[in-house]
Amino acid sequence: MKYDLKQLTLDEKITLLCGTDCWHTYGANGKLPVLHLSDGPNGLRKIDENDQTVKATAMPNISTLANTWSRECAYLDGATIADDCIENNVDVLLAPGANIKRTPLCGRNFEYFSEDPYLAGTLAKEYIKGVQDKKVGTSLKHYLANNCETERFYQTSEVDERTLREIYMPAFEKAVEAQPYTVMCSYNLINGVYAAENKKYLSDYLRQSFGFKGVIVSDWGAYRSAYKSINATLDLVMPHCDMHFANVKAALEKGLITEDQIDFCAQNMLNLIEKCQAEKGVTTTKEERHENAVKIAEEGIVLLKNEGALPLKQGKICVGGNFADNPPIGGGGSAYVQTDYQQKNLAYLLQEDMGKGSQVEFAHAYLHPIGDTNKTKAVYQCAYWADSVILCVGNDSGIESEGYDRKTIKLSSTQENFIINTAKYNKNVIVVLFAGSAVDMSSWIDKVNAVVLAGFSGEGVNQALSKILSGKTCPSGKLNETYPLSLEDCNVKVNKVGLCERYSEGIFVGYRYYDSFNVPVLFPFGHGLSYAKFEYSNLCVTQTGNTDFEVSYDITNTSSVDAKEVSQLYVKDVFCTVSRPEKELKGFSKDLIKAGETKKVTLNLNYRSFAYYNTALDKWHVENGDFEIMIASSLTDIKLCAKINIQLDESTQQSQI
Ligand code: BGC
């Protein structure tokens, strides 16, 4: 170790446990290097000495990244952002967030991966590896049970233990396997105790059970009491807080904490500082980083509906709406990235991709997501004479943002009317939808021929859209969350009694609810269309241990276009004696399958794939009995199914964790 605790006085050790300003750690009068922490997760958002936001690559938002269902894309995203960090001397990127999308209203859903913990944890882990393999640190956030923005500083999330273990913790648990340099605790209380002071969830679970070895940092301003947070093993308080030093000292003098506890936290800080000194190198140019943003966007854009409208046919194409010219690239708040990339109009890019056989015309209409819509006549006239119309509509960073939640999941009535009216002048309307979370499309979906979810896809969005609309790229994104028919169909309502948010739906979050209780939805979890056709066959399940199984199957691309397919593995506990979801995601794969080719996919299942959290035994428990293994193209499009039986003797069952 280059940096030794013994070099530091007690006062210096205590000072090290608090930032010096909004973004920097303490340098102990030149004894230690100062670290710079900056936001993510959708690219680098660094505030410089002059309080200016540094320009960086605006990557697809995490919601788009998660729609790729691609471990490679998650790794590439992290590695690309790391290069921006290295170029700007940032040591720790404050990302990614692994919170579960409990309700489509949550203002920060665009920063989060999924309503499913397996998908969220798997991709968060790859993102962290992508950043940290370049020797830049990450901060896995916001731990724990922070699933809405309303009253986020004061809310207590009242969640039962089984739900925490099965829904809200596993994404963090999985991501911690990549050993993020830091974990950021959330603002809220968990069952009446602030996350920053919650010894059970910080020390007992995060450190002891999950094996986290790094620094626990408070969310910005989440810190309350010095002795309680040190007892909970919170290491670093951010941003600078005048009272922290005096409070820690006073707590020490009163015997509420010991010097050993201060040493433990200070040592964690020294380890972090040491790791951040590793030699780093930028390996991509700015242009290459932009190309990575385009590539990830291409894989994350989801074709939701297509009645023969796409890929576009040659002819007269009208592109309408100001978002075609100036697309929303991300949600708002600390995750908003400022880029100096000059957007090209979608119509211009489409003209290039479609070639001389088409005339692509841009019709400007100003469609404010909540305000008035004007100049629509230009679009209607253009649509009237066109063979296809592409309408760019949706939300922007003002609607979906940190700090508040959405009130509705519908588009504004002016946007809805614009779609409905355009469809009166043209029978081939394609809606390109910008949004970071689910949208209710009930008033207009039947009137249009195709819907493409552009999401919030960063600075490369128009290039990616043009490739997909023109058919140069085959769409391969699938939804990381359910799109309900309407908000009324969601079981999670704002359920606050005072500042207490009751998670009374328990484990039935997202598809676990809709699927188990037969609630019809607009688009199920895992849904996404392709221009190719796939056939699934040859499911083979081989037992390799008591609860270990190797599952393989073939996917054949029976079409004439090369394409990627996301296949999903769901497990159902058939005769369970506790209430369990109808089925749960336990594996997935994304594979490039050339036209006419067959690809064999192999996935592995283990104890946790079959277990639920038994609170009476206080452990993950596999109940003996029958299970179904389903291979699917979406939650509701099951292609293959196998039945297995698990019988564990009591001693084996007792020995499992
Ligand atoms: C957000 C964090 C962010 C931090 C620093 C907080 O308000 O919740 O996600 O990293 O600010 O900007």
Side-chain angles (χ1 to χ4, degrees), residues 22-23 38-41 45 94-95 108 111-112 141-142 146 149 152-153 184 187 218-221 334-335 402:
C22 211
W23 309 112
S38 273
D39 273 306
R45 182 248 193 187
L94 301 171
R108 291 185 95 167
E111 286 189 61
Y112 299 146
K141 64 191 187 183
H142 311 88
N146 170 202
E149 291 297 283
R152 66 173 168 159
F153 302 117
M184 187 192 293
Y187 290 116
S218 70
D219 197 346
W220 269 226
S334 63
E402 175 179 344

Side-chain angles (χ1 to χ4, degrees), residues 42 51 62 166 179 190 195 235 246 273 285 399 454 488-489 510 621:
N42 304 325
D51 231 12
I62 294 293
E166 287 188 28
Q179 286 297 343
I190 307 147
D235 303 300
I273 292 168
T285 62
I399 306 267
E488 284 64 52
D489 292 325
H621 182 70

Side-chain angles (χ1 to χ4, degrees), residues 133-149:
D133 281 356
K134 303 218 70 175
K135 312 292 178 213
V136 174
T138 57
S139 195
L140 176 65
K141 64 191 187 183
H142 311 88
Y143 183 80
L144 180 67
N146 170 202
N147 309 94
C148 67
E149 291 297 283

Side-chain angles (χ1 to χ4, degrees), residues 297-319:
E298 275 181 56
E299 288 211 28
I301 288 172
V302 188
L303 179 59
L304 292 174
K305 169 176 175 169
N306 187 18
E307 299 199 334
L310 293 173
L312 287 165
K313 290 165 199 70
Q314 296 288 4
K316 196 164 167 16
I317 300 162
C318 165
V319 179

Side-chain angles (χ1 to χ4, degrees), residues 356-509:
K356 293 207 176 67
S358 289
Q359 305 96 53
V360 187
E361 196 178 320
F362 172 58
H364 186 89
Y366 186 68
L367 300 170
H368 193 274
I370 40 173
D372 274 350
T373 297
N374 55 43
K375 300 203 191 117
T376 49
K377 193 173 167 201
V379 179
Y380 300 150
Q381 278 179 326
C382 180
Y384 184 67
W385 292 103
D387 298 304
S388 318
V389 187
I390 295 162
L391 293 185
C392 297
V393 296
N395 298 331
D396 63 7
S397 58
I399 306 267
E400 295 189 50
S401 174
E402 175 179 344
Y404 47 90
D405 298 312
R406 283 192 292 169
K407 301 258 176 316
T408 168
I409 61 169
K410 283 169 85 81
L411 299 180
S412 65
S413 55
T414 47
Q415 290 209 40
E416 290 192 334
N417 288 336
F418 175 65
I419 300 170
I420 294 165
N421 288 336
T422 309
K424 290 181 188 154
Y425 298 108
N426 191 296
K427 291 284 154 268
N428 199 24
V429 174
I430 297 148
V431 169
V432 167
L433 181 66
F434 292 87
S437 194
V439 170
D440 170 344
M441 307 178 196
S442 49
S443 70
W444 51 267
I445 185 130
D446 293 339
K447 302 186 170 48
V448 303
N449 270 354
V451 182
V452 176
L453 177 63
F456 287 154
S457 291
E459 64 182 47
V461 63
N462 273 359
Q463 283 162 287
L465 275 170
S466 178
K467 295 272 176 284
I468 283 174
L469 294 167
S470 64
K472 289 202 156 171
T473 297
C474 186
S476 64
K478 296 205 179 182
L479 292 178
N480 65 64
E481 63 181 312
T482 310
Y483 272 45
L485 284 167
S486 76
L487 191 57
E488 284 64 52
D489 292 325
C490 302
N491 59 332
V492 176
K493 306 275 186 272
V494 174
N495 205 4
K496 280 196 177 54
V497 179
L499 293 173
C500 174
E501 175 72 15
R502 295 184 175 158
Y503 285 47
S504 45
E505 71 288 349
I507 56 169
F508 293 101
V509 173

